[in-house]
Structures are given as C-alpha cells and as structure tokens.
Amino acid sequence: MKLLALLSLFAISLARKTRQTRLYYIRDNAGLSNVRLQFETLVATAAIFNKELMIPPPSTIDHMDEAFIETDVYSEKALREVINFQLRQGVDLVRDWCPPDSFHLVTTRIEEVDFRTIPLDKDWCFGQMETRISHFECLLGISNEQRTAATQAVFNGLQIRGDLLKEAGQILQSQKLHPGRYAAAHIRRADFSSFRPELFQSMKMEGGMGEVLNTYTHNVPLIVATDAAPGDAAFQDIVKHAKASRVLSTAQMTGAKPRTLKAALLDLILCAEAGTFIGTPDSTFSNSIHTLRRKMEICRQQPDPERRAAVSFLSVKQTVRRGQLKLQNLWFQEGQLSVVGRASASQLQMPQNPMMCWTKVAQFSELPPGAAKTCQMDDLLEPEEDGSEGKNAG
C-alpha cells in the first residue's frame, strides 16, 4: 500500500510538471457581493502567480434560491484573457476538493500571507474562511509590480455578461430612462433588522433617509432597489414622501423573480447607471454598485460629477459597530455626504487590520494609463434629446 501511495504521488508530481499549477478554493456561502470580493481576490492571485483557477461546482449562497457559479455573472471570454481557469463538475468538495501534495492555506487570512514563503511549484488550496470577504487591493505580501498585475486582471477580466447588460438597456428604454438622467437608491432591509437594527430603524423617510433622498432626487426619476421583506412598507414610505418626479422599484421594472441571480444583477446594473446613486452603509451590495461606477469613471478618464455622484445615509462622524470594533465611515464627507477623493478612500485599506478591507470600494489606482481594455458599462445606450425626465440627475 505504501508503494502504491508513493507511485501515486510520483505520478501527480510528474503530471504537474507538464501543466500549469492550480489554485483551488472553496466558495464563500454568503451573499453575492461577498462572493464577488472573494472571487476578485482569487482572480488577482491567479494572475500574479500564473495559477490555473479551479472554479468549484455551483453551490448555494445567501439571499438566493438557486445554485450559483461565478461564470453566471462574468463573461468567460473576458476572464480567459487574463487567467486560465476550469469549471469543476461532479466534485465532492468535502472529500476531494484539493489534490494530495498541495499547499494548504490554513488559519491565515489571504491578505496577510507572505507569498514568498509558499512553494510556487505546487498546487495551492485555499479554504473558505481564509479567503471570504477578502479584498484584492489589500493583499499585503505582494510587490508593486504584482499589485499592478492584480488590478489589471480584476478590471479587465471581470466583465458582467453582455446579455444582462443588453436586457438592462432594454428595461431603461421601456421606462424612457437614460443612463445618468435618473437617481437610484439601494435600501438594504431584510437581514439588517438583526445585523444593523439601529440603521434599520433609522432608514425612514421621516428621518435622515428622507432628507438625503429628497435633497438628491428632487424632481428627477428615482428607482429603488430593495430586499424589503413582505409586509415591510419601506418602498411605500418612499413613494408617499419622495419629491422625485416618479418612483419605480427595480422589481417592477425588471419583472425578475425575487432571490434570483438575474434580479440581483439587473438591480446592480440599473443602480450603477444612475446619475446619482444612494447606497446603504455596511452593505457590500452597495459597494458592488460603487465599484461598477468607479470602473465607469476610469473609462471616462476623469470623474463626471453631474453623472456619477454617489452619496450615503451616514456622515463621516457617525459610527457603526461590528462586534467589538467601532469604525468611522471614512468614505463620506460630512454635510455634502459625497464621496471624497481617492487619497481619503485609500485610507480604507487599513493594512493594520486587513480583515476590515471588505468595507473598501475598489479604486483601481494601480491601473496603468490606457490599460482599461474593456469599458462595457459605458454606456448601455446613448442619451437621446427627447425631452425625457431628469436631464440633470446628478
């Protein structure tokens, strides 16, 4: 038996010398945007170290009633232009998710790994807890050159599927809305009733939320994306008190079945294409929208304040609690509640506590000039001079 085991390991080692070494991982089972954070970091790592990324079979994740795999979100063609990958099918992830004689990342978070200490000639196996809600811009153990490679891989390789963009454009046309000429708000409800009860209770039109919404959406169309549970009157409250020219829910606009990937991605795209977007603090889904908008901003080469404003319901002096931690909301400027410049945003890398990097909106500041190969979100359709609502919705 020992001889057979040795022969097996020898065969594996010989095969590995004739192929690209691989990066295996276990998918996070949290929500869509948490999985996005993990996948961005793994794509970045695979690009830096020339690993073939082994994408696990579809699995269940939070807030969705269907099995999930990353290629249902992102274009396989674009991803193959930055890394090699395989879609694994029929694999028992409990028993044989990772080959023998591989390097296993155990108990150490990927952000804190000194990659110089890991054998490059072996397959790597990274667990769920070691990679969940990680952030590719917060990897500490890489060089500046590697950081640039990671940024290019994530920016260019992770492109939302074209059929979803096309459908989002058709939805906007059906409502006579144009990119940049309406406002959007993401109102996180559902699990915030227990996760962030103080914010859940304060997000009412009679409170601070109403003041922000009516300041930034006055007399322009407003679309609202929310996961409010049945019986939660959050959307009706907005309709009743909003000063927008009209209020639409993305659920009404898309007709997509709730708790499906399609519904979530259409929400993401429609909110990203708004002139002004208002997000929910501590929501990684709001962060995903900000990230798309940041990519559009880079594609335009300079910020367009009239089209790409972004605000939040918290000012910089308000604090949030996560366990025993008490953090400042550094993204937002007090009073105006607008996103501050790149220098301030970069403070959120917080290298002394990389576990909290999930709160950071990706800046792509290491992207070299002219390296943005794909700018698919810019725009879904060209604005038409047809007298539609909200011409200055920014």
Side-chain angles (χ1 to χ4, degrees), residues 34 63 132-133 188-201 203 227 280-285 320-325 327 356 358-359:
N34 289 11
H63 313 302
R132 73 182 305 268
I133 54 173
R188 177 79 172 265
R189 298 289 288 175
D191 60 344
F192 265 38
S193 61
S194 55
F195 174 54
R196 288 292 310 280
E198 74 287 358
L199 182 59
F200 180 87
Q201 292 298 328
M203 292 179 71
D227 61 350
T280 299
D282 266 12
S283 167
T284 53
F285 192 81
V320 294
R321 293 182 182 274
R322 304 186 189 97
Q324 299 301 313
L325 297 173
L327 301 178
M356 298 312 302
W358 64 269
T359 61

Side-chain angles (χ1 to χ4, degrees), residues 89-161:
Q89 300 295 335
V91 179
D92 184 341
L93 294 182
V94 175
R95 187 185 63 219
D96 56 5
W97 73 278
C98 188
D101 194 36
S102 301
F103 170 80
H104 288 248
L105 182 66
V106 180
T107 67
T108 302
R109 291 281 304 176
I110 188 172
E111 299 98 330
E112 300 175 312
V113 169
D114 182 351
F115 287 97
R116 296 170 299 179
T117 66
I118 297 180
L120 292 176
D121 60 343
K122 286 192 172 187
D123 292 333
W124 293 352
C125 301
F126 290 178
Q128 182 190 92
M129 296 307 296
E130 288 75 18
T131 55
R132 73 182 305 268
I133 54 173
S134 53
H135 199 302
F136 76 96
E137 290 188 342
C138 296
L139 295 173
L140 301 180
I142 59 175
S143 67
N144 289 338
E145 182 179 344
Q146 290 170 330
R147 201 171 297 281
T148 297
T151 302
Q152 288 181 272
V154 173
F155 191 98
N156 292 317
L158 297 182
Q159 302 292 335
I160 293 176
R161 283 173 28 213

Side-chain angles (χ1 to χ4, degrees), residues 270-323:
L270 294 173
C271 287
E273 281 289 345
T276 292
F277 168 66
I278 300 169
T280 299
D282 266 12
S283 167
T284 53
F285 192 81
S286 283
N287 281 11
S288 291
I289 296 166
H290 283 302
T291 298
L292 280 183
R293 292 164 67 84
R294 175 61 183 150
K295 291 180 78 171
M296 286 189 282
E297 185 179 276
I298 290 170
C299 285
R300 289 179 173 274
Q301 311 235 331
Q302 61 182 6
D304 185 339
E306 290 190 357
R307 288 179 51 90
R308 302 297 177 219
V311 297
S312 170
F313 295 125
L314 291 185
S315 74
V316 71
K317 287 189 175 180
Q318 291 177 285
T319 56
V320 294
R321 293 182 182 274
R322 304 186 189 97

Side-chain angles (χ1 to χ4, degrees), residues 347-373:
Q347 296 174 30
L348 287 172
Q349 289 185 12
M350 293 183 286
Q352 72 277 15
N353 187 4
M355 273 289 289
M356 298 312 302
C357 277
W358 64 269
T359 61
K360 179 184 185 302
V361 175
Q363 295 298 296
F364 301 101
S365 55
E366 303 300 325
L367 192 71
K373 294 181 179 178

Side-chain angles (χ1 to χ4, degrees), residues 338-390:
S338 58
V339 172
V340 298
R342 182 181 302 174
S344 296
S346 67
Q347 296 174 30
L348 287 172
Q349 289 185 12
M350 293 183 286
Q352 72 277 15
N353 187 4
M355 273 289 289
M356 298 312 302
C357 277
W358 64 269
T359 61
K360 179 184 185 302
V361 175
Q363 295 298 296
F364 301 101
S365 55
E366 303 300 325
L367 192 71
K373 294 181 179 178
T374 306
C375 292
Q376 60 172 173
M377 292 284 293
D378 192 28
D379 274 327
L380 298 184
L381 64 160
E382 289 298 319
E384 299 173 5
E385 297 300 328
D386 61 356
S388 60
E389 296 175 83

